Amino acid sequence: MKKLLIIFISSVFLWSCTKNLTDKNNDPKNPTIVPSFTLFTNGQKKMVDLLTTSDVNTNIYRMLVQHWTETTYTDESNYDLATRDIPTQWWNGLYRDVLKSYQQSKVLIPTDVLDAGQQTNELAMADIMQVFTYYYLVTNFGNIPYSEALDFEIPQPKYDDAATIYTDLLSRLNADITALNDGAESFGSADLIYSGDVTLWRKFANSLKLKMGILLADSDPATAQATVESAAPNVFTSNADNAALQYLSAPPNTNPAFTDQIQSQRGDFVVTNVLVDEMVALNDPRISSYFSTDPNGNYTGGEYGNSNNFAALSKPTGYDGGPGVFQPNFASVILSYAEVEFYLAEAAARGYNVGG
């Protein structure tokens, strides 16, 4: 009897321990089940952060186009993408943090959203953002995982042909534009770009379609013209339509460029003479919106790819505390009216029927 009692007590003790250990696996700060709209918000924030950051581990586009150059560590301005493995940072960020968020949002929307019209709008908006994200992947990398990319059951998805992917992205965009319903609600304040305004989403989708169409102008002229002419009547018509994320003045949701440079108290970047000298020669009125003056009150750029004196040269605006890209609440524009007008001008120059 005594032995049976000991066995029983031991069993209860082990069962109790197992139960407690299982409970410990639940992290209350990282829930395993979240609403669909939070995943949509997360995808937008992660995407815009990647496009906006000036972190040399992730995004060096301002240097690659020779608008900015470095002061001390000059690897990236000399086109070294390998040391910090920048392409992998982009790849992982877009697939893992952005596309997965939108995909999981789409999975949950039919369960979370009961109104059929709102459900349709939210699914279309999440898909438009996926198309936008894949645009960056396919134009940067070429052939990429696509048809199997977001399937949890396929750990090593196949690579699809870039041209085939591009065609499918345009088809998806057309379907999303058709699906958008002005008479129904959508994400509301969970949408960090348009606050759920369906009309603006339709303009954004058509402007993205224009952007994607004009890229095909030399490789597939017929598709390019048909795509551009179809999108043109419904694109952005003013800066009020810009697709932009408004950052906040206090952490943690400040502009990543501010976080990278001002909050981190760094002095990594100055303006290049490649751009500044040309703007000065042209008396370009935009220069004061782009760059600060040097200590002598002039616009002076550094030599691209070489070490430069941070204190002596012009810097991107906002570093001195004034308005500009280094301000914490500086909005990040991911597609603008100005960009759309350049595409329309290109289309008109090619003889497309886009008006103007």
Side-chain angles (χ1 to χ4, degrees):
M1 184 67 182
K2 191 174 183 180
K3 287 183 180 179
L4 288 173
L5 184 61
I6 291 171
I7 292 171
F8 174 75
I9 293 171
S10 299
S11 299
V12 170
F13 177 75
L14 287 171
W15 177 82
S16 173
C17 288
T18 304
K19 182 176 183 295
N20 289 339
L21 285 174
T22 303
D23 291 343
K24 295 297 183 184
N25 287 333
N26 297 325
D27 183 354
K29 294 183 179 180
N30 291 288
T32 55
I33 300 174
V34 296
S36 55
F37 65 84
T38 60
L39 290 161
F40 180 79
T41 303
N42 184 68
Q44 285 187 321
K45 177 70 163 49
K46 294 288 187 181
M47 180 69 191
V48 181
D49 282 353
L50 279 169
L51 293 174
T52 306
T53 183
S54 61
D55 186 343
V56 291
N57 294 289
T58 308
N59 191 342
I60 60 172
Y61 75 89
R62 299 174 181 94
M63 285 183 282
L64 297 181
V65 296
Q66 298 190 12
H67 289 180
W68 297 5
T69 191
E70 292 168 295
T71 55
T72 306
Y73 309 103
T74 61
D75 293 345
E76 291 71 38
S77 52
N78 282 287
Y79 307 103
D80 178 358
L81 277 69
T83 298
R84 298 180 188 273
D85 200 7
I86 296 168
T88 298
Q89 300 296 332
W90 263 93
W91 181 277
N92 290 343
L94 292 177
Y95 273 112
R96 180 194 61 215
D97 301 332
V98 180
L99 286 172
K100 274 292 187 184
S101 291
Y102 294 136
Q103 187 65 18
Q104 286 304 107
S105 179
K106 287 164 67 176
V107 168
L108 294 172
I109 285 168
T111 302
D112 290 353
V113 181
L114 299 180
D115 181 79
Q118 180 177 343
Q119 185 181 120
T120 299
N121 278 340
E122 292 188 4
L123 286 169
M125 291 171 183
D127 198 64
I128 290 165
M129 291 308 298
Q130 279 193 319
V131 170
F132 183 77
T133 307
Y134 271 121
Y135 168 84
Y136 277 93
L137 280 164
V138 78
T139 54
N140 274 281
F141 294 101
N143 297 349
I144 58 170
Y146 179 70
S147 60
E148 298 178 350
L150 304 178
D151 190 334
F152 286 110
E153 303 298 323
I154 305 176
Q156 293 183 311
K158 68 178 181 180
Y159 280 63
D160 294 300
D161 172 68
T164 304
I165 295 169
Y166 209 82
T167 299
D168 189 63
L169 292 175
L170 287 171
S171 296
R172 286 171 63 174
L173 203 51
N174 284 328
D176 294 332
I177 291 168
T178 301
L180 289 171
N181 178 2
D182 291 288
E185 298 294 323
S186 67
F187 286 105
S189 60
D191 169 16
L192 301 179
I193 295 175
Y194 287 126
S195 298
D197 189 315
V198 179
T199 301
L200 290 176
W201 269 96
R202 183 176 289 104
K203 286 188 174 184
F204 171 63
N206 277 287
S207 298
L208 175 58
K209 182 178 170 181
L210 171 72
K211 176 186 179 87
M212 294 178 66
I214 202 70
L215 187 68
L216 300 174
D218 291 329
S219 62
D220 188 349
T223 300
Q225 183 169 355
T227 301
V228 168
E229 290 181 350
S230 171
N234 302 297
V235 296
F236 295 162
T237 54
S238 74
N239 283 325
D241 299 331
N242 288 351
L245 191 152
Q246 179 64 59
Y247 286 102
L248 304 181
S249 2
N253 294 312
T254 51
N255 187 299
F258 164 83
T259 306
D260 299 336
Q261 292 299 303
I262 310 303
Q263 192 175 50
S264 301
Q265 298 183 329
R266 300 186 65 86
D268 293 333
F269 305 115
V270 292
V271 181
T272 65
N273 55 16
V274 176
L275 181 59
V276 166
D277 290 355
E278 187 70 15
M279 294 183 78
V280 169
L282 294 171
N283 197 26
D284 193 315
R286 299 171 297 178
I287 194 167
S288 62
S289 296
Y290 290 171
F291 312 124
S292 65
T293 54
D294 64 22
N296 297 318
N298 301 314
Y299 291 103
T300 312
E303 186 173 353
Y304 187 76
N306 285 341
S307 296
N308 290 282
N309 186 329
F310 180 79
L313 299 169
S314 295
K315 301 162 191 65
T317 51
Y319 199 91
D320 57 0
V325 68
F326 282 143
Q327 280 296 289
N329 62 343
F330 190 78
S332 179
V333 179
I334 60 172
L335 188 58
S336 71
Y337 171 56
E339 185 178 351
V340 163
E341 287 295 296
F342 277 117
Y343 296 142
L344 291 173
E346 172 71 12
R350 290 175 178 269
Y352 297 179
N353 181 23
V354 294

